[in-house]
Amino acid sequence: MSERLPCKNPDCLNCILPETAARTQGYCMPCIHAQKKREHDEFIRKNKKTVNAFAGVGDPVEMLKIIHQPRKHDPLIDWQPCPIPTDVLYQQLQPAEARRMAEYAMSRFESGQYTQAQEICLYLAAFTHANLDACLREWVQDEDFECDYPLPFHRAPPDVRDTLLQRVEVDAENRNEILQCLAWMGDDAVVERFARWRQNPPPWRNSLYVAPEEYAHVAGWELTAEGQRRNLYFPQCFHLVKQTAASSAVLRVAGEHSDACPHCTLPLANLFEVDLKAAGLLTEPVTDIIRVVTCECCTAYSTVFGYVDSLGCAHLSPKNVPPSWLPEDVQEWRRLPINGMQLGNTRSPLFAADPFLPTSFSQLGGHPTWIQDALYPHCPECSRTMMFLAQLDYADIEQYGEGMLYAFICPDCRTTATSYQQS
């Protein structure tokens, strides 16, 4: 066996075969790769250029077209971002401009650029009142019916609904996506069909993970025992932003609580303290202030239930089940900043209903942003599905934060719940 030779790099301890040394001028392969990387990085540094595709563009529709234009990654180009955030740009569209943007989405459908077209429809549906009927009609005619974003179907016309009600019976490959779209439509005809499927399960029921009527949760509603629609979110919605002003009488986020968690011993917190009537969520609340008590650690691993007593004090529910697992370093759990968020502007209840929307997600009221499946807890007292109250996105609190904290209430029982999801 040939004697190995030391790498020519004096800072390297590797040894190499004589044949390798002859081929690499005495350097080991890790050193060769490191040198090539340094040369590559230096080439990029010297030759990289900044490109501002928005320079001189003042038309918001043209700016949005640039935003939606697919770009291949090029290490030699540093693309400047749009000077106006995408969600703000969409909100500023005048009706005629929103119509132009919908027509542009239609042109993307017609040219076969379905991903781009569907993305534009998603943004228009969440941030504007643009009419998307033509786009949706074109969308449902696609034989493959790829649908990553069912939200735009929430204001689909009756003929699109009827097309999907017929197609769901025969299109096994796309049935999951079709049922989500129907749930977002949620009109009387869809409610009636979901109720019929609950009473008489269709032949294809066993091909699904959940019953057809349970797809309603995706769009924030459920069937009542009488077969009627019951919404699971409040139409009034407020953006939550980092605290910069004095505390509001309407809302406090991450308020202190006097008790400790019986499972992990960390101090409890009132995740949200909300004056439901002042916020316009309920006209006749059962209590002036609803306090959503939780353990910030335990709710990351299981749903934490609470209740508000007649004096307005929040307590953990005795029906809580301890998490099946907790981290060993639970005492080092990073806590939320006390009263670190405040009420911002009102916004559409669907403004953050899809996790792929370019916006911030912390909010009071409105439709939840499900990172995983739509999971509404059931009230431990009456067993009814609880209503979504608010959510807190860790990314809005700290730079590298991840995951979403959700809060739910059962107004009749004065019970609360918190849960957590992350990608």
Side-chain angles (χ1 to χ4, degrees):
M1 185 175 184
S2 301
E3 181 180 356
R4 290 179 176 267
L5 304 175
C7 176
K8 193 175 179 179
N9 182 355
D11 297 324
C12 179
L13 301 178
N14 290 335
C15 292
I16 57 178
L17 294 171
E19 307 91 83
T20 302
R23 190 174 66 253
T24 63
Q25 289 77 49
Y27 292 96
C28 69
M29 291 311 298
C31 286
I32 291 291
H33 293 317
Q35 178 60 28
K36 287 183 178 180
K37 185 179 185 308
R38 285 192 295 269
E39 293 172 354
H40 175 76
D41 292 345
E42 181 63 15
F43 176 82
I44 295 296
R45 187 187 68 80
K46 289 183 177 181
N47 294 277
K48 192 169 189 175
K49 60 181 180 180
T50 299
V51 177
N52 185 0
F54 301 95
V57 181
D59 184 340
V61 173
E62 296 304 319
M63 297 174 76
L64 287 170
K65 289 180 181 180
I66 295 172
I67 289 172
H68 288 286
Q69 186 65 38
R71 293 196 187 107
K72 293 183 179 180
H73 173 68
D74 188 336
L76 292 177
I77 297 179
D78 182 14
W79 294 99
Q80 288 290 92
C82 181
I84 304 175
T86 303
D87 57 346
V88 174
L89 202 54
Y90 267 99
Q91 290 181 87
Q92 293 177 350
L93 292 178
Q94 297 300 312
E97 294 169 333
R99 185 166 56 252
R100 284 174 56 202
M101 203 64 209
E103 291 170 353
Y104 179 68
M106 184 64 181
S107 71
R108 300 301 88 191
F109 275 117
E110 292 173 343
S111 62
Q113 300 182 52
Y114 290 99
T115 299
Q116 186 182 6
Q118 291 182 28
E119 180 182 85
I120 296 171
C121 287
L122 171 66
Y123 294 7
L124 284 169
F127 302 140
T128 78
H129 296 285
N131 187 311
L132 299 176
D133 290 1
C135 291
L136 297 177
R137 291 185 178 109
E138 183 70 22
W139 197 337
V140 298
Q141 296 306 318
D142 179 23
E143 184 176 346
D144 295 329
F145 190 67
E146 295 181 3
C147 184
D148 295 326
Y149 312 117
L151 170 61
F153 286 85
H154 79 92
R155 41 183 204 256
D159 59 297
V160 169
R161 175 204 65 210
D162 293 342
T163 296
L164 291 183
L165 283 174
Q166 294 173 5
R167 187 165 181 173
V168 72
E169 300 289 352
V170 297
D171 190 347
E173 184 176 353
N174 299 299
R175 185 169 287 133
N176 180 65
E177 289 78 11
I178 294 172
L179 285 168
Q180 292 183 57
C181 294
L182 288 170
W184 273 108
M185 294 178 200
D187 62 9
D188 291 345
V190 171
V191 171
E192 188 278 331
R193 185 66 61 89
F194 276 26
R196 188 194 311 174
W197 284 334
R198 182 175 64 182
Q199 185 173 1
N200 299 298
W204 39 264
R205 162 62 184 92
N206 291 336
S207 68
L208 305 172
Y209 289 106
V210 299
E213 67 274 9
E214 292 182 30
Y215 277 79
H217 283 186
V218 171
W221 59 280
E222 69 173 358
L223 280 178
T224 65
E226 297 75 27
Q228 303 300 310
R229 171 174 173 149
R230 173 184 173 239
N231 286 339
L232 299 175
Y233 67 92
F234 297 101
Q236 184 78 334
C237 183
F238 296 88
H239 184 205
L240 298 183
V241 296
K242 280 192 174 181
Q243 181 76 287
T244 57
S247 299
S248 167
V250 177
L251 172 76
R252 282 175 58 88
V253 178
E256 295 179 303
H257 194 284
S258 58
D259 296 333
C261 176
H263 304 135
C264 71
T265 73
L266 285 180
L268 298 175
N270 289 328
L271 182 61
F272 294 100
E273 300 178 31
V274 186
D275 186 328
L276 298 175
K277 187 173 183 180
L281 301 183
L282 290 176
T283 55
E284 296 180 0
V286 293
T287 183
D288 290 338
I289 304 292
I290 193 78
R291 293 180 172 87
V292 183
V293 64
T294 193
C295 170
E296 295 171 37
C297 174
C298 290
T299 200
Y301 301 97
S302 66
T303 301
V304 174
F305 294 97
Y307 69 94
V308 180
D309 64 23
S310 59
L311 300 177
C313 298
H315 310 273
L316 287 182
S317 169
K319 298 183 180 181
N320 275 316
V321 176
S324 58
W325 182 88
L326 287 172
E328 295 181 358
D329 57 347
V330 66
Q331 295 304 320
E332 299 179 12
W333 192 268
R334 191 167 184 177
R335 307 297 304 280
L336 292 170
I338 299 297
N339 200 29
M341 305 288 285
Q342 67 177 6
L343 283 178
N345 296 328
T346 59
R347 63 188 190 182
S348 159
L350 302 181
F351 201 90
D354 190 289
F356 294 102
L357 287 166
T359 188
S360 55
F361 296 99
S362 296
Q363 66 182 33
L364 171 67
H367 192 284
T369 311
W370 296 113
I371 308 301
Q372 300 172 6
D373 294 332
L375 293 175
Y376 291 87
H378 290 88
C379 174
E381 299 300 323
C382 69
S383 299
R384 293 183 76 196
T385 307
M386 302 180 76
M387 294 188 67
F388 170 74
L389 175 66
Q391 64 189 23
L392 196 59
D393 185 359
Y394 275 101
D396 292 338
I397 299 171
E398 53 187 28
Q399 183 176 6
Y400 299 108
E402 182 182 5
M404 195 85 68
L405 276 169
Y406 305 92
F408 307 87
I409 61 170
C410 177
D412 294 338
C413 299
R414 296 188 299 188
T415 57
T416 65
T418 62
S419 62
Y420 172 83
Q421 289 185 2
Q422 72 175 60
S423 56

